[in-house]
Amino acid sequence: MRMTGYPPIEEHAVIGDLRTVALVATDGTIDWYCPQRFDGASVFASLLDAERGGSFRIHCPDSRAKQLYLPDSNVLMTRFLAPQAVGEVVDFMVPVDSDVTESPHAVVRQARAVRGRAEFSLRCHPRFDYGRASHTVTIVDGQGAVFDSPVGSLTLRTAIPLASDGTGVTATFALDMGQSADVVLEWNTPIRPLVDGEAEQLFNRTLTYWQNWLRRSRYHGRWREMVNRSALVLKLLVYRPTGALVAAPTTSLPEELGGIRNWDYRYTWIRDAAFTIYALMTLGFTDEAAAFMDWLEQRCQEAPGDKGLHVLYSVDGNADLDEIVLEHLRGYRDSKPVRIGNGAAGQLQLDIYGELMDSVYLYNKLAAPISFQLWEALSRQLDWLAKHWEEPDEGIWETRGGRQRFTYSALMTWVAFERACRISRQRGLPGPTNEWKEYAGRAYRFVQTAAWDPVRGAYMEHPGSSRLDASLLCMPLVKFAGPTDPRFLSTLDRFGEELVSDSLVRRYAADGSDGLHGDEGTFNLCSFWYVEALTRAGRVAEARLVFEKMLTYANHVGLYAEEIGPSGEALGNFPQAFTHLALISAALHLDRALG
C-alpha cells in the first residue's frame, strides 16, 4: 500500500498509445492501466483500491516531485528533487500508428540521474482483472520478470536486478549523473533482454510522432499552450484501431467523495465523440474525423430500423455494456460503488442525433464530402427520429429519475433536421427535405412555446419544470438562437444568478429530481460553454475573466477532470473529453472576439 494513500485526482498526468492509457501520479506511481484497450480489465488500479488494485512505482525517496510533459508531446517527465541529487523518470507509450514496425502494448519508463548520485526505488505489483485473478511471479536474471495469470501476462523487461516479494517485484538502484536505467512493461509477450538503446529509440520515435502530429494544428492565437494540450488529450482518447473516441479513460472516479455518482466512462458516446470531432476539425485535425465517420457509418448500418442508435458503444462497436459493481474494490477514497459497464447504454437520449448531424455537417463542409452510403444510413436514422422525437427521454445528463420531454433534446432535434436540410441542399443529396423542414419547425416551436417561462424569463429544463438547465447554453452555439436574442440573453442572466458561482457552472440544481442522492461538483463543460455564450453575446471582458479563472483549475500539466469540487479539487473521471473540447471551442471564439 502506498504511504501517501490516494493522491488527489488532479495529481495525475496521462500517457497513451491510441489504444489505452496509463495514469501516472506525481509520486511516480502508475495507479491506473488497462492493457490493450481503454475498456479492458485493469492490471494497475490502486486509484480505486490502494491495497487490492495494483500499482507500479519508480521514484527517488525523500525528494520533492515535479511533473511536466516534454514540449508538444504526450511524453511525461517526473522530476525528483533531492537535497544532493536530481532524478527523472520519463514515461511514455508508443502510439500504434507511429512508424514503429511493431507496436506492442508497452509502457516505457526511463530513470535518469541529471544531478549528483540519484537513488531510485522500484516496486511493481500488478493485480489482474481488476484484482480478481491470481498470478505468479518469475524473475529471469538479467532480463526482468514475468507475471502470469489466467487472463494474460505482463513482462517487465529490464537489466535492473529485481527481487520478488511474493506477488510483485522490487528494486533499489543508484545512478550517477548522466546514467540511465530502462524498464519496458509489455502485455502478453515473451521475455527477452532489453537491448542497449532500445528504449531510447522508442523514446525518440514517440516524441517525434507527437510533435509532428501537433504541427498540423492551425491554431496560433492566445492560450495556444492550453489549446494544444487539450488537443493532445483528445488525441489520446482515440482508439486508433476503429476510430472511436472515449469520453474518459477511467471508471468510477466520484463526482462527490463518498457519493454514488461513480460511472464508467471508457466508452464512445455518440454525443461526446461528435463534439470531440468538431473540436479537432476546427484545429485542422481531419484524419481523426474521417476515421470516426467510418466508425459511425458502421453503427448506423448496424442499427435496426425500429430502434435507432444506442447512446454509447464500446470502442469496437459493441452496445451490450451491462453495468455491474465490483464489490471487492473500495473505490477512490472509499467512494463506492466501483462500476464497470454503463447502464446508460439502454437509455433513450434523443439529443444524440442533433450532435451527430451537426458533426457530419461540419465534416462535410470543412474536411471532405461524406459518402452516399453514410448519407443513406443517416437518412434512416432521421426516419426513426421523426417517429420518436416527441417522446420523453433521459436527456443529455442521463438522469435516472424518469423520462421527461427535455428542452435540450427538442433543441437537438431541430439541429438534426436543420443540418440534414443544409447537407442535402449543399450537396444535392436526395432526401425528404420538406418533411425535415416540418419536423425542424415543430421542434423549434416546441422550445419557444412549451419550454419558455415568461415569468422566470428563461428556457426551462422541460415544460412545467422550475429548474434551469445549463445545457441550453448551447442555443447560440448551434445557431438555434442569435447570441443577442432577448430570450437567450434573459436566460443567460438567469444562469448567472442561479447556476454560476464565480467562474463555475452547475448543470442544474441538485434537488434530487435526477433520481440520484447526494451532490456533485460544478461541471467544467458547462463552465466553458458559459464562456462561449458570454463571448457570443458581446460580453467579452466578462468572458475573458471567467475563462482565465477556469484555466486556474487545470492541474499542473493542463488537464481537467469532469467536475470541480467545493475546494477547487478535481472530481469525476479524468481526463474528460467534454471539458477539453469545450475549452478549445471557447478559446477559439474568445480569441477571435478579442481580435
Side-chain angles (χ1 to χ4, degrees):
M1 182 175 178
R2 294 163 64 181
M3 298 300 293
T4 54
Y6 296 89
I9 294 171
E10 62 269 22
E11 289 294 316
H12 288 86
V14 63
I15 58 175
D17 64 358
L18 305 182
R19 291 170 292 198
T20 188
V21 305
L23 266 61
V24 187
T26 51
D27 67 357
T29 302
I30 295 178
D31 53 17
W32 180 254
Y33 174 55
C34 303
Q36 295 187 287
R37 48 188 275 173
F38 293 104
D39 54 357
S42 66
V43 294
F44 301 133
S46 59
L47 189 61
L48 298 179
D49 193 311
E51 295 180 13
R52 301 179 185 88
S55 64
F56 181 17
R57 186 178 187 183
I58 302 178
H59 74 121
C60 294
D62 303 319
S63 64
R64 295 181 297 113
K66 300 285 186 179
Q67 210 170 48
L68 70 153
Y69 282 108
L70 299 190
D72 298 338
S73 80
N74 282 314
V75 176
L76 181 69
M77 176 183 287
T78 306
R79 310 190 75 217
F80 298 99
L81 312 178
Q84 303 299 322
V86 175
E88 295 176 346
V89 176
V90 174
D91 290 313
F92 62 92
M93 297 168 69
V94 182
V96 69
D97 60 349
S98 72
D99 59 358
V100 180
T101 304
E102 294 183 2
S103 182
H105 294 276
V107 176
V108 182
R109 313 198 75 181
Q110 297 180 289
R112 303 170 179 173
V114 295
R115 182 169 66 84
R117 182 175 175 83
E119 303 283 341
F120 287 88
S121 174
L122 178 153
R123 183 178 185 273
C124 183
H125 274 246
R127 294 291 185 270
F128 291 83
D129 191 23
Y130 303 107
R132 295 180 295 190
S134 61
H135 69 273
T136 60
V137 183
T138 302
I139 293 179
V140 181
D141 289 340
Q143 298 185 43
V146 179
F147 307 90
D148 273 312
S149 84
V151 297
S153 67
L154 278 177
T155 302
L156 194 156
R157 299 170 56 217
T158 184
I160 300 169
L162 302 173
S164 173
D165 62 355
T167 58
V169 297
T170 62
T172 57
F173 56 99
L175 299 174
D176 291 322
M177 186 171 64
Q179 290 184 324
S180 64
D182 301 326
V183 177
V184 177
L185 190 72
E186 295 179 344
W187 178 254
N188 282 349
T189 59
I191 194 164
R192 61 194 187 281
L194 192 61
V195 179
D196 286 345
E198 180 180 347
E200 189 66 17
Q201 183 181 45
L202 294 175
F203 165 80
N204 290 329
R205 288 176 170 174
T206 300
L207 185 63
T208 299
Y209 170 82
W210 286 117
Q211 292 177 341
N212 285 344
W213 181 81
L214 192 61
R215 286 194 189 99
R216 293 161 45 200
S217 174
R218 294 196 297 247
Y219 185 71
H220 302 287
R222 300 169 180 84
W223 312 291
R224 185 180 178 189
E225 186 172 342
M226 287 299 295
V227 170
N228 284 349
R229 177 52 51 198
S230 291
L232 286 162
V233 171
L234 294 181
K235 177 65 172 175
L236 275 182
L237 300 183
V238 172
Y239 183 68
R240 171 66 180 177
T242 65
L245 301 101
V246 298
T250 56
T251 180
S252 302
L253 293 180
E255 297 174 18
E256 178 189 28
L257 286 181
I260 64 170
R261 298 168 185 258
N262 313 327
W263 315 110
D264 191 349
Y265 277 8
R266 299 172 298 158
Y267 305 109
T268 300
W269 270 255
I270 295 292
R271 173 193 311 113
D272 299 46
F275 276 131
T276 301
I277 286 303
Y278 164 73
L280 289 173
M281 279 195 299
T282 59
L283 298 177
F285 300 110
T286 55
D287 290 349
E288 292 72 19
F292 176 69
M293 288 298 155
D294 291 339
W295 181 89
L296 175 64
E297 182 177 334
Q298 295 177 48
R299 305 293 82 74
C300 291
Q301 296 282 9
E302 295 165 358
D306 61 340
K307 292 188 180 298
L309 290 171
H310 289 276
V311 175
L312 64 145
Y313 297 85
S314 67
V315 290
D316 59 6
N318 178 28
D320 296 324
L321 304 174
D322 293 338
E323 184 175 293
I324 64 173
V325 173
L326 299 179
E327 299 284 0
H328 66 288
L329 295 181
R330 296 174 58 180
Y332 174 80
R333 298 193 178 184
D334 293 321
S335 297
K336 283 193 170 187
V338 172
R339 294 181 171 97
I340 57 175
N342 198 305
Q347 287 189 351
L348 178 64
Q349 297 176 23
L350 295 166
D351 65 282
I352 65 172
Y353 298 92
E355 291 106 354
L356 173 61
M357 290 304 300
D358 199 33
S359 68
V360 171
Y361 163 73
L362 291 167
Y363 177 79
N364 184 75
K365 178 181 178 181
L366 301 175
I370 63 170
S371 68
F372 179 68
Q373 289 84 355
L374 177 57
W375 177 249
E376 289 276 273
L378 292 169
S379 296
R380 288 194 296 273
Q381 294 304 314
L382 292 172
D383 291 341
W384 183 91
L385 181 62
K387 299 173 183 176
H388 298 278
W389 76 272
E390 295 178 286
E391 297 176 8
D393 71 344
E394 276 87 5
I396 180 177
W397 304 132
E398 302 180 348
T399 60
R400 301 196 178 193
R403 293 180 175 181
Q404 298 287 347
R405 287 210 62 193
F406 287 105
T407 304
Y408 182 80
S409 295
L411 167 67
M412 284 296 158
T413 295
W414 173 82
V415 172
F417 288 115
E418 197 276 340
R419 298 305 192 266
C421 289
R422 287 197 195 194
I423 297 171
S424 177
R425 182 174 63 251
Q426 293 172 1
R427 288 281 310 283
L429 293 169
T433 53
N434 289 336
E435 293 179 18
W436 290 343
K437 287 178 183 178
E438 174 61 24
Y439 289 121
R442 287 168 56 188
Y444 189 95
R445 286 189 291 270
F446 174 84
V447 174
Q448 295 288 16
T449 56
W452 171 255
D453 185 335
V455 177
R456 297 283 299 281
Y459 296 102
M460 308 310 292
E461 181 183 47
H462 57 78
S465 173
S466 61
R467 197 162 75 164
L468 296 173
D469 180 354
S471 66
L472 300 180
L473 287 165
C474 273
M475 283 184 165
L477 281 61
V478 298
K479 314 298 184 185
F480 177 89
T484 57
D485 179 273
R487 285 190 171 189
F488 177 74
L489 290 179
S490 179
T491 302
L492 188 61
D493 288 338
R494 300 294 85 74
F495 286 156
E497 295 164 2
E498 299 184 31
L499 295 182
V500 180
S501 175
D502 196 31
S503 64
L504 303 172
V505 182
R506 301 184 72 90
R507 294 189 292 179
Y508 45 71
D511 56 10
S513 61
D514 60 2
L516 296 167
H517 299 295
D519 204 351
E520 64 177 8
T522 55
F523 215 70
N524 291 326
L525 165 70
C526 298
S527 298
F528 285 115
W529 275 352
Y530 185 58
V531 170
E532 188 166 345
L534 289 172
T535 301
R536 291 172 180 261
R539 295 158 60 175
V540 178
E542 183 180 356
R544 183 171 190 176
L545 180 58
V546 172
F547 186 75
E548 295 283 4
K549 286 182 176 181
M550 279 302 300
L551 295 185
T552 68
Y553 290 104
N555 79 347
H556 58 289
V557 287
L559 306 184
Y560 290 86
E562 184 177 22
E563 300 181 2
I564 299 294
S567 301
E569 71 275 19
L571 291 174
N573 286 304
F574 172 93
Q576 199 213 27
F578 248 164
T579 300
H580 286 279
L581 64 89
L583 183 155
I584 290 171
S585 186
L588 264 63
H589 285 87
L590 184 55
D591 181 69
R592 189 178 303 130
L594 289 168

